[in-house]
Amino acid sequence: MSAERTARLATQLRERELDALIVAAPLNVRYVTGFTGSNGLALVRAAGGEGAGAGAEGGAGGEGAGAEGGARAGSGADSFFTDFRYTLQSAEQVGQAFAREIVTGSLLEAAARALGEAGGRLGFDDAHTTVAEHERLRTALADGWELVPAAGLVERLRAVKDEDEIERLRAAAQLADRALEEVLEEGLVGRAERDVAVELELRMRRLGAQAPSFSSIVAASAHGALPHAEPRAEPIPRDVLVTIDWGAQLDGYCSDCTRTYATGEGVSAEAREVYATVLAAQEAGVAAVQAGPTGRDVDAIARVVIEQAGYGEHFGHGLGHGVGLDVHEAPRLSRIESEQPLLAGNVVTVEPGIYLPGRLGVRIEDLLVVRDCTQETLNGLDKALTVIS
């Protein structure tokens, strides 16, 4: 898989007239190389790493070493750098497309040494590189190398998932569904929001999740009017709405879902009206998701339902976002950006909401795969207003 991804990345480098790219953001390193540790760096070349073997293990500063039958990091191969702590882990995880080098000291300086004196255009991620890191890299490079801002190249690849990634996202969504079902079996009324959130995250871990995708939201009654409410020690009352936003991280991939429940048949007529409006907007947004429209187009289709019902000023965030190795990534479904068309293989949320300060909030969210002429929903909990007492 890493060889296929680096080949696609190398194609992008050639299109941008770059000779090589430094990949340092941890999720991008994982995507390109398979490495899940906390300190790794990849050097991908526009030539595609031709001739790379199993990789070399260098000694201090990348010097010295047994070559394990592969190319040294500096022979023109795509290269991976880490430190002693990850010697065994990198040997297991990093694909054969990369020459592997164990470094004492700066990984950026090791990558600069591997590039040698030839010179060329070196891309770096200006969205994640600090000023200090940029200066260290500039100083370490030979004079013939030009540093070129190149943020977003790996993220663009990550935005289109292959079927293996989609299956992992589906598994994460189904695990999260099961965890919430188990929590809801114990009811909501009288339980503290915080206790419900903690129990939900514990259930996800017991079912096999590495972690929640994000801190779970459980927000009852007027607290639900905060889109990113933090669960409180307050008990959940009867006859109100409760918004639960949660997700599981499984095999590195995240899920993200939101449901809003009633805690009794006595919820107000206003609450029922708001819920029905959000559900209609959400279903319109889901139906619009397919390859071709822009994120702005899809946002507009759902947003008009809420505006026509008179709640437009109470839906202030975007309709959705991409999900993958990160719970928030490209593409975006938003009225203020997202002018690129959705592509088959994008995985996005559709999550309209209405938030009435001091009264209530409703959000409903699904996780969808963009297909050529349709969409596929990865989670499966019912969206009809359900009473959980």
Side-chain angles (χ1 to χ4, degrees), residues 112-171:
R113 285 192 296 271
L115 286 166
E117 303 289 334
R121 288 165 51 85
L122 174 64
F124 73 98
D125 186 349
D126 49 306
H128 294 96
T129 302
T130 67
V131 172
E133 289 168 340
H134 181 274
E135 180 62 19
R136 170 169 272 181
L137 182 57
R138 187 193 64 79
T139 301
L141 284 169
D143 290 341
W145 285 99
E146 175 190 1
L147 278 172
V148 181
L153 291 182
V154 178
E155 285 85 351
R156 218 164 285 134
L157 296 180
R158 283 172 47 194
V160 178
K161 276 65 177 178
D162 58 37
E163 289 303 320
D164 177 70
E165 291 180 285
I166 290 169
E167 186 54 42
R168 294 178 189 225
L169 289 160
R170 180 182 293 109

Short mmCIF file of all heavy atoms in Angstrom, two decimals, residues 112-171:
data_model
loop_
_atom_site.label_atom_id
_atom_site.label_comp_id
_atom_site.label_asym_id
_atom_site.label_seq_id
_atom_site.Cartn_x
_atom_site.Cartn_y
_atom_site.Cartn_z
N ALA A 112 18.18 16.12 5.14
CA ALA A 112 19.02 17.04 4.35
C ALA A 112 20.29 16.35 3.89
O ALA A 112 20.72 16.52 2.74
CB ALA A 112 19.34 18.29 5.17
N ARG A 113 20.91 15.57 4.78
CA ARG A 113 22.11 14.83 4.37
C ARG A 113 21.80 13.83 3.27
O ARG A 113 22.58 13.63 2.34
CB ARG A 113 22.72 14.11 5.58
CG ARG A 113 23.46 15.01 6.55
CD ARG A 113 24.27 14.19 7.53
NE ARG A 113 23.42 13.36 8.38
CZ ARG A 113 22.90 13.77 9.53
NH1 ARG A 113 23.11 15.02 9.96
NH2 ARG A 113 22.16 12.96 10.26
N ALA A 114 20.63 13.17 3.39
CA ALA A 114 20.26 12.17 2.40
C ALA A 114 20.07 12.78 1.02
O ALA A 114 20.31 12.14 0.00
CB ALA A 114 18.99 11.44 2.83
N LEU A 115 19.66 14.03 0.97
CA LEU A 115 19.45 14.70 -0.32
C LEU A 115 20.77 15.01 -1.02
O LEU A 115 20.81 15.13 -2.24
CB LEU A 115 18.65 15.98 -0.11
CG LEU A 115 17.16 15.77 0.17
CD1 LEU A 115 16.53 17.05 0.70
CD2 LEU A 115 16.43 15.30 -1.08
N GLY A 116 21.81 15.17 -0.25
CA GLY A 116 23.12 15.36 -0.85
C GLY A 116 23.30 16.72 -1.51
O GLY A 116 22.59 17.69 -1.22
N GLU A 117 24.24 16.79 -2.45
CA GLU A 117 24.66 18.05 -3.06
C GLU A 117 23.99 18.34 -4.39
O GLU A 117 24.22 19.40 -4.97
CB GLU A 117 26.18 18.02 -3.28
CG GLU A 117 27.00 17.77 -2.02
CD GLU A 117 26.99 18.96 -1.08
OE1 GLU A 117 26.81 20.09 -1.56
OE2 GLU A 117 27.16 18.75 0.14
N ALA A 118 23.15 17.44 -4.87
CA ALA A 118 22.64 17.58 -6.24
C ALA A 118 21.84 18.85 -6.45
O ALA A 118 21.90 19.48 -7.50
CB ALA A 118 21.79 16.36 -6.60
N GLY A 119 21.08 19.25 -5.45
CA GLY A 119 20.25 20.45 -5.58
C GLY A 119 18.93 20.16 -6.25
O GLY A 119 18.72 19.11 -6.87
N GLY A 120 18.02 21.10 -6.10
CA GLY A 120 16.70 20.96 -6.69
C GLY A 120 15.67 21.69 -5.85
O GLY A 120 16.00 22.54 -5.02
N ARG A 121 14.40 21.37 -6.07
CA ARG A 121 13.29 22.01 -5.37
C ARG A 121 12.71 21.03 -4.35
O ARG A 121 12.19 19.98 -4.73
CB ARG A 121 12.22 22.45 -6.36
CG ARG A 121 12.64 23.66 -7.19
CD ARG A 121 11.74 23.86 -8.41
NE ARG A 121 10.32 23.88 -8.10
CZ ARG A 121 9.64 24.94 -7.69
NH1 ARG A 121 10.28 26.11 -7.52
NH2 ARG A 121 8.35 24.88 -7.45
N LEU A 122 12.82 21.40 -3.07
CA LEU A 122 12.36 20.54 -1.98
C LEU A 122 11.09 21.12 -1.38
O LEU A 122 11.08 22.23 -0.85
CB LEU A 122 13.44 20.42 -0.90
CG LEU A 122 13.04 19.67 0.38
CD1 LEU A 122 12.72 18.20 0.08
CD2 LEU A 122 14.14 19.78 1.43
N GLY A 123 10.00 20.36 -1.45
CA GLY A 123 8.75 20.80 -0.86
C GLY A 123 8.71 20.53 0.63
O GLY A 123 9.26 19.52 1.10
N PHE A 124 8.08 21.43 1.37
CA PHE A 124 7.87 21.21 2.80
C PHE A 124 6.46 21.68 3.15
O PHE A 124 5.87 22.50 2.45
CB PHE A 124 8.91 21.96 3.64
CG PHE A 124 8.73 23.45 3.68
CD1 PHE A 124 8.09 24.08 4.74
CD2 PHE A 124 9.20 24.25 2.63
CE1 PHE A 124 7.92 25.46 4.77
CE2 PHE A 124 9.02 25.63 2.65
CZ PHE A 124 8.38 26.24 3.72
N ASP A 125 5.92 21.15 4.25
CA ASP A 125 4.56 21.45 4.66
C ASP A 125 4.56 22.74 5.47
O ASP A 125 4.78 22.72 6.69
CB ASP A 125 4.01 20.28 5.48
CG ASP A 125 2.53 20.46 5.82
OD1 ASP A 125 2.00 21.56 5.61
OD2 ASP A 125 1.93 19.49 6.30
N ASP A 126 4.30 23.86 4.81
CA ASP A 126 4.34 25.15 5.50
C ASP A 126 3.18 25.33 6.47
O ASP A 126 3.20 26.25 7.30
CB ASP A 126 4.36 26.30 4.49
CG ASP A 126 3.30 26.17 3.41
OD1 ASP A 126 3.25 25.12 2.75
OD2 ASP A 126 2.51 27.12 3.22
N ALA A 127 2.16 24.45 6.42
CA ALA A 127 1.06 24.54 7.38
C ALA A 127 1.42 23.94 8.73
O ALA A 127 0.78 24.23 9.73
CB ALA A 127 -0.18 23.84 6.83
N HIS A 128 2.45 23.08 8.76
CA HIS A 128 2.83 22.42 10.01
C HIS A 128 4.27 22.67 10.43
O HIS A 128 4.65 22.32 11.55
CB HIS A 128 2.62 20.90 9.88
CG HIS A 128 1.18 20.49 9.74
ND1 HIS A 128 0.59 20.25 8.53
CD2 HIS A 128 0.22 20.30 10.67
CE1 HIS A 128 -0.68 19.91 8.72
NE2 HIS A 128 -0.93 19.94 10.00
N THR A 129 5.09 23.24 9.58
CA THR A 129 6.50 23.46 9.89
C THR A 129 6.68 24.75 10.68
O THR A 129 6.21 25.81 10.26
CB THR A 129 7.33 23.54 8.59
OG1 THR A 129 7.14 22.33 7.84
CG2 THR A 129 8.80 23.72 8.90
N THR A 130 7.35 24.66 11.81
CA THR A 130 7.59 25.86 12.61
C THR A 130 8.72 26.69 12.00
O THR A 130 9.49 26.20 11.14
CB THR A 130 7.98 25.49 14.05
OG1 THR A 130 9.26 24.84 14.04
CG2 THR A 130 6.94 24.58 14.69
N VAL A 131 8.85 27.91 12.43
CA VAL A 131 9.93 28.78 11.96
C VAL A 131 11.28 28.15 12.32
O VAL A 131 12.22 28.14 11.50
CB VAL A 131 9.80 30.19 12.57
CG1 VAL A 131 11.02 31.04 12.24
CG2 VAL A 131 8.53 30.87 12.07
N ALA A 132 11.39 27.60 13.53
CA ALA A 132 12.65 26.99 13.96
C ALA A 132 12.99 25.78 13.10
O ALA A 132 14.16 25.57 12.72
CB ALA A 132 12.56 26.59 15.43
N GLU A 133 11.99 24.96 12.78
CA GLU A 133 12.23 23.79 11.94
C GLU A 133 12.64 24.20 10.53
O GLU A 133 13.53 23.59 9.92
CB GLU A 133 10.98 22.91 11.89
CG GLU A 133 10.70 22.19 13.20
CD GLU A 133 9.31 21.58 13.23
OE1 GLU A 133 8.43 22.01 12.44
OE2 GLU A 133 9.09 20.69 14.06
N HIS A 134 11.99 25.22 10.00
CA HIS A 134 12.34 25.71 8.67
C HIS A 134 13.79 26.18 8.65
O HIS A 134 14.55 25.89 7.71
CB HIS A 134 11.40 26.84 8.27
CG HIS A 134 11.67 27.41 6.91
ND1 HIS A 134 12.60 28.41 6.69
CD2 HIS A 134 11.14 27.10 5.69
CE1 HIS A 134 12.62 28.71 5.41
NE2 HIS A 134 11.75 27.94 4.78
N GLU A 135 14.20 26.92 9.66
CA GLU A 135 15.56 27.42 9.71
C GLU A 135 16.57 26.28 9.84
O GLU A 135 17.62 26.31 9.20
CB GLU A 135 15.71 28.40 10.88
CG GLU A 135 17.10 28.99 11.04
CD GLU A 135 17.54 29.82 9.84
OE1 GLU A 135 16.66 30.24 9.04
OE2 GLU A 135 18.75 30.05 9.68
N ARG A 136 16.24 25.28 10.65
CA ARG A 136 17.13 24.13 10.80
C ARG A 136 17.31 23.41 9.47
O ARG A 136 18.40 23.02 9.10
CB ARG A 136 16.58 23.19 11.86
CG ARG A 136 17.31 21.84 11.93
CD ARG A 136 16.89 21.06 13.16
NE ARG A 136 17.73 21.42 14.28
CZ ARG A 136 17.62 20.89 15.50
NH1 ARG A 136 16.70 19.99 15.75
NH2 ARG A 136 18.43 21.26 16.46
N LEU A 137 16.20 23.21 8.76
CA LEU A 137 16.26 22.53 7.47
C LEU A 137 17.03 23.36 6.46
O LEU A 137 17.89 22.84 5.72
CB LEU A 137 14.84 22.25 6.97
CG LEU A 137 14.69 21.49 5.65
CD1 LEU A 137 15.40 20.14 5.72
CD2 LEU A 137 13.21 21.31 5.31
N ARG A 138 16.75 24.66 6.40
CA ARG A 138 17.44 25.54 5.44
C ARG A 138 18.94 25.53 5.67
O ARG A 138 19.73 25.47 4.72
CB ARG A 138 16.89 26.97 5.57
CG ARG A 138 17.42 27.94 4.52
CD ARG A 138 17.11 29.37 4.88
NE ARG A 138 17.79 29.77 6.11
CZ ARG A 138 19.08 30.10 6.16
NH1 ARG A 138 19.83 30.07 5.07
NH2 ARG A 138 19.63 30.46 7.31
N THR A 139 19.33 25.55 6.94
CA THR A 139 20.76 25.57 7.27
C THR A 139 21.43 24.25 6.91
O THR A 139 22.59 24.22 6.47
CB THR A 139 20.95 25.86 8.77
OG1 THR A 139 20.34 27.13 9.06
CG2 THR A 139 22.40 25.91 9.15
N ALA A 140 20.71 23.14 7.09
CA ALA A 140 21.31 21.83 6.85
C ALA A 140 21.41 21.47 5.38
O ALA A 140 22.26 20.66 4.98
CB ALA A 140 20.50 20.76 7.59
N LEU A 141 20.57 22.05 4.53
CA LEU A 141 20.56 21.70 3.11
C LEU A 141 21.77 22.26 2.38
O LEU A 141 22.27 23.34 2.70
CB LEU A 141 19.29 22.25 2.44
CG LEU A 141 17.98 21.50 2.71
CD1 LEU A 141 16.81 22.33 2.20
CD2 LEU A 141 18.00 20.12 2.06
N ALA A 142 22.21 21.52 1.39
CA ALA A 142 23.26 22.02 0.51
C ALA A 142 22.73 23.24 -0.26
O ALA A 142 21.53 23.43 -0.44
CB ALA A 142 23.69 20.93 -0.47
N ASP A 143 23.66 24.08 -0.72
CA ASP A 143 23.30 25.37 -1.31
C ASP A 143 22.38 25.25 -2.52
O ASP A 143 21.60 26.15 -2.80
CB ASP A 143 24.57 26.13 -1.72
CG ASP A 143 25.36 26.62 -0.51
OD1 ASP A 143 24.77 26.69 0.58
OD2 ASP A 143 26.56 26.91 -0.66
N GLY A 144 22.45 24.13 -3.22
CA GLY A 144 21.67 24.00 -4.45
C GLY A 144 20.19 23.71 -4.23
O GLY A 144 19.42 23.67 -5.20
N TRP A 145 19.78 23.52 -2.98
CA TRP A 145 18.39 23.16 -2.72
C TRP A 145 17.55 24.41 -2.39
O TRP A 145 17.94 25.24 -1.59
CB TRP A 145 18.28 22.18 -1.56
CG TRP A 145 18.69 20.79 -1.96
CD1 TRP A 145 19.90 20.20 -1.75
CD2 TRP A 145 17.89 19.85 -2.67
NE1 TRP A 145 19.92 18.94 -2.28
CE2 TRP A 145 18.69 18.69 -2.85
CE3 TRP A 145 16.59 19.85 -3.16
CZ2 TRP A 145 18.21 17.56 -3.50
CZ3 TRP A 145 16.11 18.73 -3.82
CH2 TRP A 145 16.92 17.60 -3.98
N GLU A 146 16.38 24.50 -3.04
CA GLU A 146 15.41 25.57 -2.78
C GLU A 146 14.24 24.99 -2.00
O GLU A 146 13.64 23.98 -2.40
CB GLU A 146 14.91 26.14 -4.11
CG GLU A 146 13.80 27.17 -3.96
CD GLU A 146 13.16 27.54 -5.28
OE1 GLU A 146 13.57 26.98 -6.33
OE2 GLU A 146 12.23 28.38 -5.25
N LEU A 147 13.89 25.62 -0.88
CA LEU A 147 12.74 25.19 -0.10
C LEU A 147 11.46 25.81 -0.67
O LEU A 147 11.38 27.03 -0.82
CB LEU A 147 12.90 25.59 1.37
CG LEU A 147 13.76 24.64 2.23
CD1 LEU A 147 14.00 25.26 3.60
CD2 LEU A 147 13.08 23.29 2.36
N VAL A 148 10.46 24.96 -0.96
CA VAL A 148 9.24 25.42 -1.61
C VAL A 148 8.04 25.04 -0.75
O VAL A 148 7.85 23.86 -0.43
CB VAL A 148 9.08 24.76 -3.00
CG1 VAL A 148 7.81 25.25 -3.68
CG2 VAL A 148 10.31 25.04 -3.87
N PRO A 149 7.21 25.99 -0.34
CA PRO A 149 5.99 25.66 0.42
C PRO A 149 5.10 24.71 -0.38
O PRO A 149 4.83 24.95 -1.56
CB PRO A 149 5.31 27.02 0.63
CG PRO A 149 6.42 28.03 0.50
CD PRO A 149 7.35 27.46 -0.52
N ALA A 150 4.66 23.63 0.26
CA ALA A 150 3.89 22.61 -0.47
C ALA A 150 2.87 21.95 0.46
O ALA A 150 2.68 20.74 0.42
CB ALA A 150 4.84 21.57 -1.06
N ALA A 151 2.20 22.74 1.28
CA ALA A 151 1.19 22.18 2.18
C ALA A 151 0.04 21.57 1.39
O ALA A 151 -0.32 22.04 0.32
CB ALA A 151 0.65 23.27 3.11
N GLY A 152 -0.52 20.49 1.92
CA GLY A 152 -1.75 19.92 1.38
C GLY A 152 -1.58 18.80 0.38
O GLY A 152 -2.58 18.20 -0.02
N LEU A 153 -0.36 18.49 -0.04
CA LEU A 153 -0.19 17.45 -1.06
C LEU A 153 -0.64 16.08 -0.54
O LEU A 153 -1.38 15.36 -1.22
CB LEU A 153 1.26 17.39 -1.53
CG LEU A 153 1.77 18.57 -2.34
CD1 LEU A 153 3.20 18.34 -2.79
CD2 LEU A 153 0.88 18.81 -3.56
N VAL A 154 -0.19 15.72 0.66
CA VAL A 154 -0.59 14.42 1.20
C VAL A 154 -2.07 14.44 1.60
O VAL A 154 -2.80 13.46 1.37
CB VAL A 154 0.28 14.04 2.40
CG1 VAL A 154 -0.17 12.71 3.01
CG2 VAL A 154 1.75 13.95 1.99
N GLU A 155 -2.53 15.55 2.16
CA GLU A 155 -3.93 15.65 2.55
C GLU A 155 -4.86 15.46 1.36
O GLU A 155 -5.95 14.90 1.49
CB GLU A 155 -4.20 17.01 3.21
CG GLU A 155 -3.66 17.13 4.62
CD GLU A 155 -2.20 17.54 4.69
OE1 GLU A 155 -1.54 17.57 3.63
OE2 GLU A 155 -1.72 17.84 5.79
N ARG A 156 -4.43 15.93 0.19
CA ARG A 156 -5.25 15.75 -1.01
C ARG A 156 -5.41 14.28 -1.35
O ARG A 156 -6.48 13.83 -1.76
CB ARG A 156 -4.59 16.50 -2.18
CG ARG A 156 -5.57 17.18 -3.11
CD ARG A 156 -4.87 18.20 -3.98
NE ARG A 156 -4.53 19.41 -3.24
CZ ARG A 156 -3.35 20.02 -3.29
NH1 ARG A 156 -2.39 19.53 -4.05
NH2 ARG A 156 -3.13 21.10 -2.60
N LEU A 157 -4.34 13.51 -1.17
CA LEU A 157 -4.44 12.07 -1.39
C LEU A 157 -5.32 11.41 -0.34
O LEU A 157 -6.14 10.54 -0.64
CB LEU A 157 -3.05 11.44 -1.37
CG LEU A 157 -2.06 11.86 -2.45
CD1 LEU A 157 -0.74 11.14 -2.26
CD2 LEU A 157 -2.62 11.59 -3.85
N ARG A 158 -5.13 11.84 0.92
CA ARG A 158 -5.89 11.24 2.01
C ARG A 158 -7.39 11.46 1.86
O ARG A 158 -8.20 10.68 2.37
CB ARG A 158 -5.43 11.82 3.35
CG ARG A 158 -4.13 11.26 3.86
CD ARG A 158 -3.62 12.00 5.09
NE ARG A 158 -4.66 12.20 6.10
CZ ARG A 158 -4.57 13.02 7.13
NH1 ARG A 158 -3.45 13.76 7.29
NH2 ARG A 158 -5.54 13.13 7.99
N ALA A 159 -7.79 12.52 1.19
CA ALA A 159 -9.21 12.86 1.08
C ALA A 159 -9.99 11.82 0.28
O ALA A 159 -11.21 11.67 0.48
CB ALA A 159 -9.38 14.23 0.44
N VAL A 160 -9.34 11.10 -0.60
CA VAL A 160 -10.00 10.06 -1.39
C VAL A 160 -9.59 8.70 -0.83
O VAL A 160 -8.44 8.29 -0.95
CB VAL A 160 -9.63 10.16 -2.88
CG1 VAL A 160 -10.29 9.03 -3.68
CG2 VAL A 160 -10.04 11.52 -3.44
N LYS A 161 -10.54 8.03 -0.20
CA LYS A 161 -10.25 6.77 0.47
C LYS A 161 -10.34 5.59 -0.49
O LYS A 161 -11.19 5.56 -1.38
CB LYS A 161 -11.23 6.54 1.62
CG LYS A 161 -10.87 7.21 2.93
CD LYS A 161 -10.90 8.72 2.87
CE LYS A 161 -10.60 9.34 4.24
NZ LYS A 161 -10.57 10.81 4.16
N ASP A 162 -9.47 4.60 -0.28
CA ASP A 162 -9.61 3.34 -1.02
C ASP A 162 -10.58 2.45 -0.24
O ASP A 162 -11.02 2.77 0.86
CB ASP A 162 -8.25 2.68 -1.25
CG ASP A 162 -7.50 2.37 0.04
OD1 ASP A 162 -8.13 2.00 1.05
OD2 ASP A 162 -6.25 2.49 0.04
N GLU A 163 -10.90 1.30 -0.81
CA GLU A 163 -11.92 0.44 -0.19
C GLU A 163 -11.46 -0.12 1.14
O GLU A 163 -12.29 -0.37 2.04
CB GLU A 163 -12.33 -0.68 -1.15
CG GLU A 163 -13.14 -0.20 -2.34
CD GLU A 163 -14.43 0.53 -1.94
OE1 GLU A 163 -15.08 0.10 -0.96
OE2 GLU A 163 -14.78 1.54 -2.59
N ASP A 164 -10.17 -0.34 1.31
CA ASP A 164 -9.67 -0.80 2.60
C ASP A 164 -9.90 0.26 3.68
O ASP A 164 -10.34 -0.05 4.80
CB ASP A 164 -8.19 -1.15 2.51
CG ASP A 164 -7.61 -1.57 3.85
OD1 ASP A 164 -7.97 -2.66 4.33
OD2 ASP A 164 -6.81 -0.81 4.43
N GLU A 165 -9.63 1.51 3.35
CA GLU A 165 -9.87 2.59 4.30
C GLU A 165 -11.36 2.72 4.62
O GLU A 165 -11.75 2.92 5.78
CB GLU A 165 -9.34 3.90 3.74
CG GLU A 165 -7.83 3.99 3.64
CD GLU A 165 -7.39 5.31 3.07
OE1 GLU A 165 -7.53 5.51 1.84
OE2 GLU A 165 -6.92 6.16 3.85
N ILE A 166 -12.20 2.59 3.60
CA ILE A 166 -13.64 2.70 3.82
C ILE A 166 -14.12 1.59 4.74
O ILE A 166 -14.97 1.81 5.61
CB ILE A 166 -14.37 2.69 2.47
CG1 ILE A 166 -14.09 4.00 1.72
CG2 ILE A 166 -15.88 2.48 2.65
CD1 ILE A 166 -14.55 4.01 0.28
N GLU A 167 -13.58 0.40 4.58
CA GLU A 167 -13.97 -0.71 5.45
C GLU A 167 -13.57 -0.43 6.90
O GLU A 167 -14.31 -0.76 7.83
CB GLU A 167 -13.34 -2.01 4.96
CG GLU A 167 -13.80 -3.24 5.73
CD GLU A 167 -15.32 -3.39 5.75
OE1 GLU A 167 -15.97 -3.16 4.71
OE2 GLU A 167 -15.86 -3.73 6.83
N ARG A 168 -12.42 0.18 7.11
CA ARG A 168 -12.00 0.54 8.46
C ARG A 168 -12.91 1.60 9.06
O ARG A 168 -13.25 1.56 10.24
CB ARG A 168 -10.55 1.02 8.45
CG ARG A 168 -9.56 -0.07 8.08
CD ARG A 168 -8.15 0.47 8.03
NE ARG A 168 -7.24 -0.53 7.47
CZ ARG A 168 -6.04 -0.83 7.98
NH1 ARG A 168 -5.63 -0.21 9.06
NH2 ARG A 168 -5.28 -1.74 7.41
N LEU A 169 -13.29 2.58 8.25
CA LEU A 169 -14.21 3.61 8.71
C LEU A 169 -15.58 3.01 9.04
O LEU A 169 -16.22 3.39 10.03
CB LEU A 169 -14.35 4.70 7.65
CG LEU A 169 -13.11 5.59 7.49
CD1 LEU A 169 -13.13 6.30 6.15
CD2 LEU A 169 -13.05 6.61 8.62
N ARG A 170 -16.03 2.07 8.22
CA ARG A 170 -17.31 1.40 8.48
C ARG A 170 -17.24 0.64 9.81
O ARG A 170 -18.18 0.70 10.62
CB ARG A 170 -17.64 0.44 7.33
CG ARG A 170 -18.96 -0.29 7.53
CD ARG A 170 -19.24 -1.28 6.41
NE ARG A 170 -19.48 -0.60 5.15
CZ ARG A 170 -18.64 -0.60 4.13
NH1 ARG A 170 -17.46 -1.23 4.21
NH2 ARG A 170 -18.94 0.03 3.01
N ALA A 171 -16.14 -0.06 10.04
CA ALA A 171 -16.00 -0.82 11.28
C ALA A 171 -16.00 0.10 12.49
O ALA A 171 -16.60 -0.21 13.53
CB ALA A 171 -14.72 -1.66 11.24
#
